[in-house]
Amino acid sequence: MNRIAVRSVVGGLRSGQNCNSYISTAVPVRPLDGAEFLHSLKGDLSGGFYWTRMMSTVPQSAKTVEEWRESKSSVSDDAKKGSDRVVVSDYWGIYRPKITREDVSEWTWNCFMPWDTYKPDLSIDLSKHHVPKTFMDRFAYRTVKVLRMPTDIFFKRRYGCRAMMLETVAAVPGIVGGMVLHLRSLRKFQQSGGWVKALLEEAENERMHLMTMVELVQPMWYERLLVLVVQGVFFNAFFVLYLLSPKLAHRIVGYLEEEAIHSYTEYLKDIDSGKIENVQAPAIAIDYWRLPKDATLRNVITVIRADEAHHRDVNHYASDIQFQGKELREAPAPSDYH
């Protein structure tokens, strides 16, 4: 019986009956008797159950691939209108549906979606500081102070260039921490307590800071070269540090975020004093942080500073958990903290 069933399935696949169906979900409905089992070639056969196709890329009602493509052509054409990008084949059935804003205008960004946007909590306390108590705390604090010296010398009060450069580094700790915890979760067959997602979201948030700053300040060739060098050194150094001592790594990031708050506060002072022009906010910032249409550079720096304050709190919190002798997964990670 099993040999006959296998031959029937193989024959059906060779004849092309199922080669154009892409399954994303299947649910068992009922066991079949012998006759149904052998002739139910429109579904998958496994263990005597008929698996119905749910959310299939190709609808069951479509008799041919051509009919399916014709049914999708109107949607695909709408999605491609106004796009000057190269259109790839829809063989895989993957395309971007039309996404609109609340005012029904078309969503134009590919780097983030409407559900990724948010309004920052501007009421967060910017003055909080973790007072170094242990040798490791003091080491982390002094390390950050030493790292700040070359940036002060190189950038001075050019806070636009300074912010752009530092955001290329600020997005590294989250991705490194998330990667290490992700691999540890797989290796030990343990859940992460939500920390993998939290740290990756932090990295993505820092990257969006950079994408915003690039709209305001175009980096010079030597600044791009500096990014390559600094990022390469910092990534590898932080990766080794996170493997050796996650609590020290998070403490250093917490102090780095405290310095970021200070830098953005100085940035705002120069805007208020007129040393830096308070230009119109970039469109990417208006959509990402849900700012008003007439938002300015000052509004952008204010929300970025609030993000950095949240990152400060989360990383000091993560370090405190481990200083108490616990693993991060034992304390639930904060959600939607940025």
Side-chain angles (χ1 to χ4, degrees):
M1 178 66 72
N2 290 337
R3 290 182 179 178
I4 295 174
V6 171
R7 288 176 183 173
S8 300
V9 174
V10 172
L13 292 174
R14 285 179 177 175
S15 64
Q17 286 181 313
N18 292 332
C19 65
N20 294 312
S21 297
Y22 306 98
I23 307 170
S24 58
T25 306
V27 293
V29 178
R30 61 181 175 83
L32 303 179
D33 59 29
E36 291 176 317
F37 182 82
L38 292 176
H39 293 90
S40 298
L41 294 179
K42 292 184 180 180
D44 281 347
L45 303 174
S46 177
F49 283 88
Y50 172 56
W51 296 81
T52 60
R53 302 183 187 281
M54 305 294 291
M55 297 173 63
S56 173
T57 304
V58 183
Q60 295 181 12
S61 59
K63 296 181 180 180
T64 65
V65 178
E66 287 72 19
E67 291 179 5
W68 165 63
R69 285 178 175 168
E70 288 177 3
S71 67
K72 283 182 56 181
S73 62
S74 59
V75 179
S76 298
D77 290 342
D78 290 340
K80 296 170 186 173
K81 283 182 180 179
S83 174
D84 56 356
R85 293 185 176 88
V86 177
V87 178
V88 297
S89 170
D90 64 354
Y91 173 76
W92 302 111
I94 297 174
Y95 69 99
R96 171 176 163 168
K98 186 175 182 180
I99 302 174
T100 59
R101 296 183 175 86
E102 294 180 355
D103 60 1
V104 196
S105 61
E106 186 175 359
W107 184 263
T108 56
W109 304 105
N110 288 325
C111 54
F112 66 100
M113 294 293 116
W115 47 86
D116 298 321
T117 65
Y118 65 100
K119 290 184 178 181
D121 178 15
L122 301 181
S123 65
I124 189 168
D125 186 359
L126 301 172
S127 63
K128 283 196 295 186
H129 166 64
H130 182 275
V131 179
K133 300 175 182 177
T134 65
F135 169 78
M136 197 169 288
D137 283 351
R138 289 190 289 272
F139 176 79
Y141 183 73
R142 294 301 177 188
T143 299
V144 172
K145 288 298 183 182
V146 170
L147 291 175
R148 180 179 173 174
M149 291 179 182
T151 58
D152 287 341
I153 295 172
F154 187 81
F155 294 107
K156 297 182 180 179
R157 296 195 69 84
R158 294 185 299 131
Y159 286 107
C161 296
R162 183 192 189 110
M164 177 201 64
M165 187 65 60
L166 294 182
E167 292 296 354
T168 64
V169 174
V172 171
I175 202 73
V176 170
M179 176 186 68
V180 172
L181 294 181
H182 173 72
L183 294 176
R184 183 178 299 166
S185 175
L186 299 179
R187 190 169 62 251
K188 294 187 175 182
F189 306 98
Q190 296 174 338
Q191 51 84 18
S192 69
W195 281 98
V196 171
K197 184 175 185 293
L199 293 178
L200 293 181
E201 283 184 348
E202 177 185 311
E204 173 65 10
N205 182 243
E206 295 284 11
R207 192 184 66 83
M208 289 303 298
H209 292 177
L210 175 62
M211 295 299 101
T212 300
M213 297 310 301
V214 169
E215 294 289 326
L216 298 166
V217 182
Q218 293 298 321
M220 304 294 290
W221 68 268
Y222 57 86
E223 292 174 331
R224 292 177 181 270
L225 179 61
L226 183 61
V227 167
L228 292 176
V229 175
V230 173
Q231 189 183 79
V233 173
F234 184 75
F235 176 88
N236 288 283
F238 192 82
F239 175 65
V240 173
L241 176 63
Y242 204 93
L243 290 177
L244 297 176
S245 178
K247 58 186 175 184
L248 176 59
H250 281 293
R251 186 69 77 204
I252 288 176
V253 176
Y255 285 129
L256 283 173
E257 299 295 357
E258 290 184 18
E259 293 298 329
I261 295 170
H262 172 75
S263 296
Y264 281 116
T265 299
E266 293 298 312
Y267 199 163
L268 289 172
K269 289 180 180 178
D270 281 2
I271 293 175
D272 293 338
S273 65
K275 294 180 181 178
I276 297 177
E277 184 181 358
N278 191 22
V279 298
Q280 176 70 26
I284 189 172
I286 291 175
D287 284 339
Y288 183 67
W289 284 288
R290 301 179 189 174
L291 298 174
K293 297 298 182 182
D294 59 348
T296 62
L297 175 60
R298 194 185 196 289
N299 300 122
V300 174
I301 301 305
T302 300
V303 296
I304 291 179
R305 184 178 61 172
D307 285 346
E308 304 294 6
H310 284 284
H311 298 162
R312 170 204 63 193
D313 294 347
V314 171
N315 279 279
H316 280 314
Y317 170 63
S319 185
D320 287 345
I321 293 171
Q322 294 170 96
F323 266 105
Q324 295 173 10
K326 300 179 181 179
E327 294 186 18
L328 284 182
R329 66 186 182 86
E330 297 180 53
S335 58
D336 299 328
Y337 61 89
H338 61 254

